[in-house]
Amino acid sequence: MFDKILIANRGEIAVRVIRACKELGIRTVAVYSKADAGSLHVQLADEAICIGEPPSKESYLKIDRIISAAEVADVEAIHPGYGFLSENAHFAEVCENCNIKFIGPTSAAIRAMGDKVLARETVRKAGVPVVPGSDGPVDTEENALKIARKIGYPVIVKAAGGGGGRGMRVAHNDPSLVKGYHTARTEAERAFGNAAVYIEKFIENPRHIEFQILADRKGHVVHLGERDCSLQRRHQKLVEESPSPALTGDLRKKMGKAAIRAAESVEYVNAGTVEFLLDEQGNFYFIEMNTRVQVEHPVTEEVTGIDIVKEQLRIAAGEELGFGQRDIQFQGAAIECRINAEDPFNDFRPSPGCIEFMHVPGGHGVRVDTHMYGGYTIPPHYDSMIGKLICYGRDRRVALERMTRALDEFILRGVKTTIPLHQLILKDPNFRRGRYSTNFVERLLTASQPSVPTNSTEKN
Ligand code: ADP
């Protein structure tokens, strides 16, 4: 096992990785921007190195500064967390060349899955169903129209280098496709420096079901079951749960096998997630693979008892998986609510600032992963997610009751958060019955706009 690693990230995931390292007896080095000097990850790590100015481009995305910090601190490996450089194949390559272990897959696997057009093609050849769509990137408006007419409207234009729900446009007819094609390209160019787009059939009312994968260097690949991440806003996840209320044992087996095949098609190593859309008829289609640890990984940890970050460290250190597919037991139900510093009833406007007072829920089956503390100031430069509330129960009903109770206990004064929205979701009869799809949140927001409970907005 490693003796010392560097965490090239911030926020709750940096704290999460430090915790796993401490339990494994690994010393940790935090890196931070000038805006994060007072951050929890800086305080919890054994060493901390400032790598630049607040904007990510000047710090958390600066490969040369991070590598210099790793060399100065003399670490054996780097954990990239999620976001920032975690899916940057060049960064993984630089680490490989500098003899620093990148805690994640090879740069080749990141590259193969990072281009979503190439990823579709690779997994399709391996026998994994993909959403019907274009064979490759669509480079002219005429071709876009030809493909859309062939597969039939509605369609969705997506960025080949996409992520975070950006660079996507739904089109219901020729004129909206022409408009969507150009806006998606412009957005993709701006966000990812790559204007390439492709077209998929737009699946109506789908569920987003993803499978957690672990793979070691000896070629053993297992899945840790699914997470239902259908509760989204603008294609960004808000709530995740496992098991999915929509899956039968049979479907779980089929999708799990397909997820493993997808990982094997790129000789995947370490933790990753294979994402699918499930349509109303029970057909599933691969949409992408995320080649890193995900925000929602705790949900899987709660139902399997497997510490995914520790497994990432073990795999990167060259250890074999200590269990096979049959050894993985699923027990109970877990749900996660993402706590963002945003005003959900004012178009999710970011709400950075000082947390004047904070009370974190506790008790049996309640887990809070966060870098916040009372008096902490949320800087305006980064993602607005400030914590995750995860509740576990022996079944879904208990997990939901616990989540309702824990959300009521969570007090954050000084900033607006998504907590009141989660309270609304948890009350919804359809959600409670497990009946929801990716458009659930938008519908709920539209329906509930005039009757927003103002007291809970203030309280939280
Ligand atoms: P990103 O990499 O930006 O997260 P994904 O391909 O993972 O993009 O898709 C994110 C979300 O967008 C999905 O969970 C789903 O809600 C929606 N989406 C993507 N592709 C389709 C599609 N073909 N039909 C319907 N919804 C889609």
Side-chain angles (χ1 to χ4, degrees), residues 87 116 120 131-132 154-156 158-159 161-168 170 192 198-209 229-230 232 234-237 275-277 285-290 292 437-439:
E87 289 181 294
K116 291 162 88 172
R120 272 169 62 86
V131 186
V155 298
I156 181 166
K158 298 172 72 171
R166 281 173 304 172
M168 272 191 248
V170 180
F192 316 111
Y198 62 110
I199 293 179
E200 281 180 355
K201 175 91 188 157
F202 180 68
I203 314 276
E204 311 233 34
N205 308 318
R207 294 184 83 120
H208 173 118
I209 310 282
C229 310
S230 307
Q232 309 176 345
R234 297 203 179 145
H235 311 303
Q236 294 228 49
K237 299 161 191 168
E275 298 190 334
F276 298 101
L277 290 182
Y285 309 95
F286 169 92
I287 44 170
E288 68 164 342
M289 179 167 190
N290 286 324
R292 53 169 165 84
S437 69
T438 55
N439 53 33

